[in-house]
Amino acid sequence: MLPLRGCHRRLVCLRGVTTASSLPLLPTATTTSMAAPPSHSHPASSAGSAPKRIRTMATDAAATGAAVSPGCSEMKAEFAKHAEYLNTLNDKRERLVKASRDVTMNSKKVIFQVHRISKSNKEEVLAKAENDLAVVVNQYIGKLVKELQGTDFWKLRRAYTFGVQEYVEAATFCRFCKTGTLLSLAEINDSLLELGDKSAEPLQINVLDYILGVADLSGELMRLAIGRISDGEVEYAKNICAFVRDIYRELTLVVPLMDDNSEMKKKMETMLQSVVKIENACFSVHVRGSEYIPLLGSSADPDYSFFGASDYDQ
């Protein structure tokens, strides 16, 4: 008969063996991997293991091996159509920007040509300027007409508006120097009808671009007025002053009615400055004209007494 303390110890040992034998044994590989996880800093140590497969998302039906539903193919065709339309539109926009630059550059050349005008060569300079303006219309404006036929002019307006404004400025400048009047929008659009296909919708310069071009005209007229005063043509400068004032007065009534008039407000401020410069020049000549107008070429026999040299030897 065993003592009570010894029986208790044997019972505890038997319970421990039974509990341990009932638990499942873990695999050796798993135990090893949990004990020592692989290190990514030493790729050579894992050379014997299989490489990991990179997970990718396959969208092509041939790659996935899954059948494509009819709705999916229709959606792809629809978006392909939209992509083709946008690519075509972007290409056309780039061509319009290039054509607009050509119009701007050659219209500026016409304006510079008109500024060479004087009392002796007026007819010759204006004739050459009109020929250059006709070249601008036929070669460069014609490109815009061909690109914009049958399309939404307003959608691509920002691509060619600056070239059209410069052309309007050059055309109205030539007309004023020749006749002293303003070239109307209807006359400009009528001259563009012959450039395009009559069966398609022709390019028509909108009212906004026309008004913006006329607003830029005031700066060129201001330079012309100062040049005419320097040549002694004071009356011609006064006519320019009255003409620019009339344009400014009429535009002050139109601009508040325009929806997108942020750009026009800046041009109106510049136009007011041009009007003030012309008025100041004409006023100075009118008040002090007897002092220095003979020195500016208005008389064939200038009087140099203004400088205190009446007996100046020419």
Side-chain angles (χ1 to χ4, degrees), residues 109-127:
K109 291 181 180 179
V110 174
I111 294 174
F112 297 154
Q113 176 67 27
V114 176
H115 276 298
R116 297 187 179 97
I117 193 173
S118 63
K119 292 184 294 185
S120 60
N121 63 353
K122 180 178 180 180
E123 299 296 331
E124 179 183 356
V125 170
L126 289 180

Side-chain angles (χ1 to χ4, degrees), residues 138-284:
N138 295 327
Q139 293 187 6
Y140 304 107
I141 297 291
K143 292 182 180 178
L144 294 177
V145 173
K146 294 178 181 179
E147 291 290 343
L148 292 172
Q149 280 189 355
T151 61
D152 190 357
F153 303 125
W154 289 99
K155 185 182 300 182
L156 298 172
R157 176 183 169 270
R158 298 299 300 176
Y160 65 88
T161 177
F162 300 106
V164 170
Q165 292 177 26
E166 198 70 29
Y167 166 71
V168 171
E169 181 181 358
T172 52
F173 192 38
C174 289
R175 172 61 67 88
F176 175 80
C177 292
K178 184 176 182 179
T179 63
T181 58
L182 180 64
L183 183 66
S184 65
L185 177 61
E187 292 177 307
I188 295 178
N189 285 330
D190 290 341
S191 64
L192 301 179
L193 293 176
E194 301 178 355
L195 300 177
D197 187 5
K198 296 182 179 180
S199 60
E201 184 180 0
L203 171 65
Q204 295 289 282
I205 296 177
N206 57 75
V207 179
L208 180 59
D209 291 337
Y210 174 76
I211 292 178
L212 292 172
V214 172
D216 292 334
L217 175 64
S218 61
E220 303 302 333
L221 291 177
M222 182 269 295
R223 297 180 184 91
L224 181 64
I226 301 301
R228 296 304 89 225
I229 291 175
S230 64
D231 284 347
E233 299 182 55
V234 181
E235 292 300 323
Y236 190 53
K238 291 181 180 179
N239 294 334
I240 296 175
C241 182
F243 183 75
V244 176
R245 269 193 302 213
D246 291 340
I247 294 178
Y248 180 77
R249 183 178 62 252
E250 297 298 329
L251 288 181
T252 53
L253 303 176
V254 176
V255 172
L257 304 178
M258 299 171 60
D259 294 334
D260 185 14
N261 59 352
S262 58
E263 185 178 2
M264 191 63 196
K265 286 182 179 179
K266 298 179 182 179
K267 291 182 180 292
M268 290 297 293
E269 295 175 359
T270 305
M271 184 183 297
L272 180 60
Q273 296 175 1
S274 299
V275 172
V276 171
K277 289 179 181 179
I278 299 174
E279 289 178 344
N280 290 337
C282 293
F283 179 77
S284 299

Side-chain angles (χ1 to χ4, degrees), residues 4-20:
L4 181 59
R5 182 178 297 177
C7 293
H8 179 70
R9 289 179 180 176
R10 296 189 68 179
L11 180 61
V12 171
C13 292
L14 291 174
R15 287 182 178 177
V17 173
T18 306
T19 306

